[in-house]
Amino acid sequence: MVEFSPEVIDTIISAAALLGAGFAMIAGIGPGIGQGYAAGKAVEGVARQPEARGNIITTMLLGQAVAESTGIYSLVIAIVLIFTIAT
Amino acid sequence: MDPGPQVVTYLFGNESLPITDTLIWAWVVCIVIIIGARLATKDMKIVPAGLQNVAEMTVELIYDQIEAMMPGEGKRMLPFIATIFIFIGLSNLVGFIPGVVNPTADINTTLGLGLVVFLVSHYEGMKKHGVFGYIKGFGEPVIILLPLNVVGELAKPISHSFRLFGNMVGGGIIIMLIYSAAPWVLPVPLHAWFDLFVGAVQALIFGMIAIAYIAVCRD
């Protein structure tokens, strides 16, 4: 068993936290795909029915906000890892 | 580098009840809203002009959203939803002024608002169905799903408040990084995007999701 000094352990913890923050943000892919899909469908809807533009945009924004929450969770986890554990 | 709220002073001396900069800006926003509302309604006219026009447009926008989801409840729910919407909207927009911290970039502010919406939605549900009838609704369609429904209900205020918090803090961190890298021209469009556009959209979404939660509990 190798013994590490406290500075080395702190450095390893910081490195692991920063790496974990980077991995956590992989979750940003999901909301990107979901919001893009919603926006694309909204564009199709507006092209088919231009008079329903206001309703379509409101519904699209609400759906995108709900789709966004998983990405926001990963962002909060990454912020916690960077600013409370890694420093 | 710490993006969180900074403690400015303590209310009762040593280390008790810290007062952060986000809290102070929240008070400033409250005072601005009170003065603005007083000025807008001081001498109201049949044909609105100036500040009264803006106030009427805002109230009408929120009223229409409530009426669309809860028909007939617009006038009763308007003060609550409009307070949330206007406070969050102005809190998001003040970040545009350099040196001002968004009051909503603090989990205490957003979680407080989320919990208020949570309490109001359950109060409305109990008022509509009666206390026992409302609690019985969690055991549907089968009683085994009761813990799942309760956990899902408790996750609502967390996702509701973390959405606003994450959006505002994420924008703030990106702007802070750009300020330390390129402090001259680049932050201006970023401020416009993160404070004006994202701030307005998030305020609208927070209010609309609050309406949706209350409407779901009333069903």
Side-chain angles (χ1 to χ4, degrees):
Chain A
M1 189 73 198
V2 186
E3 288 289 323
F4 289 114
S5 65
E7 297 87 55
V8 175
I9 290 174
D10 279 354
T11 312
I12 290 172
I13 290 174
S14 291
L18 290 171
L19 206 62
F23 277 127
M25 287 315 291
I26 293 175
I29 295 172
I33 294 171
Q35 291 186 333
Y37 192 74
K41 285 287 177 190
V43 169
E44 279 179 19
V46 172
R48 199 172 300 145
Q49 265 184 309
E51 68 274 9
R53 191 163 175 273
N55 276 333
I56 288 171
I57 286 177
T58 319
T59 316
M60 179 194 80
L61 283 177
L62 198 62
Q64 286 185 332
V66 175
E68 200 181 34
S69 40
T70 52
I72 295 293
Y73 296 156
S74 76
L75 176 69
V76 170
I77 289 169
I79 288 171
V80 168
L81 282 173
I82 290 173
F83 290 104
T84 65
I85 296 174
T87 48
Chain B
M1 192 166 74
D2 184 12
Q6 313 292 327
V7 174
V8 177
T9 180
Y10 292 94
L11 193 56
F12 296 121
N14 45 0
E15 303 279 310
S16 62
L17 278 178
I19 294 178
T20 55
D21 48 357
T22 50
L23 187 59
I24 291 173
W25 284 114
W27 290 339
V28 171
V29 166
C30 288
I31 292 167
V32 167
I33 291 171
I34 292 168
I35 294 173
R38 189 78 196 84
L39 285 179
T41 56
K42 206 163 66 181
D43 53 342
M44 289 196 283
K45 297 181 185 70
I46 300 286
V47 181
L51 207 55
Q52 192 194 343
N53 216 344
V54 178
E56 281 189 12
M57 272 169 64
T58 314
V59 166
E60 219 160 278
L61 170 80
I62 303 163
Y63 184 84
D64 287 345
Q65 297 292 342
I66 300 172
E67 280 289 320
M69 290 211 216
M70 287 185 279
E73 293 289 327
K75 209 161 184 177
R76 204 166 62 82
M77 296 307 297
L78 182 68
F80 176 61
I81 303 292
T83 307
I84 286 180
F85 175 76
I86 294 170
F87 175 72
I88 292 177
L90 210 62
S91 297
N92 291 349
L93 295 184
V94 288
F96 197 63
I97 306 163
V100 177
V101 187
N102 282 321
T104 40
D106 182 352
I107 188 66
N108 301 300
T109 312
T110 57
L111 195 59
L113 290 166
L115 286 176
V116 169
V117 171
F118 177 74
L119 291 178
V120 167
S121 65
H122 287 289
Y123 171 76
E124 287 291 317
M126 287 179 187
K127 203 174 157 191
K128 184 89 181 285
H129 303 286
V131 177
F132 189 71
Y134 181 65
I135 293 171
K136 213 174 69 181
F138 285 109
E140 282 172 359
V142 277
I143 194 74
I144 309 163
L145 290 177
L146 180 75
L148 211 62
N149 284 335
V150 171
V151 170
E153 209 56 45
L154 291 177
K156 273 181 180 178
I158 296 175
S159 85
H160 195 193
S161 51
F162 270 53
R163 183 175 301 124
L164 180 60
F165 167 73
N167 269 294
M168 297 326 288
V169 163
I173 289 175
I174 291 171
I175 290 174
M176 201 170 72
L177 289 175
I178 294 293
Y179 263 119
S180 60
W184 283 98
V185 182
L186 222 50
V188 176
L190 282 172
H191 263 300
W193 172 262
F194 284 115
D195 289 327
L196 298 186
F197 179 71
V198 174
V201 166
Q202 288 302 320
L204 187 69
I205 282 169
F206 196 97
M208 277 172 61
I209 290 179
I211 300 168
Y213 282 168
I214 296 171
V216 164
C217 280
R218 285 169 56 84
D219 280 346

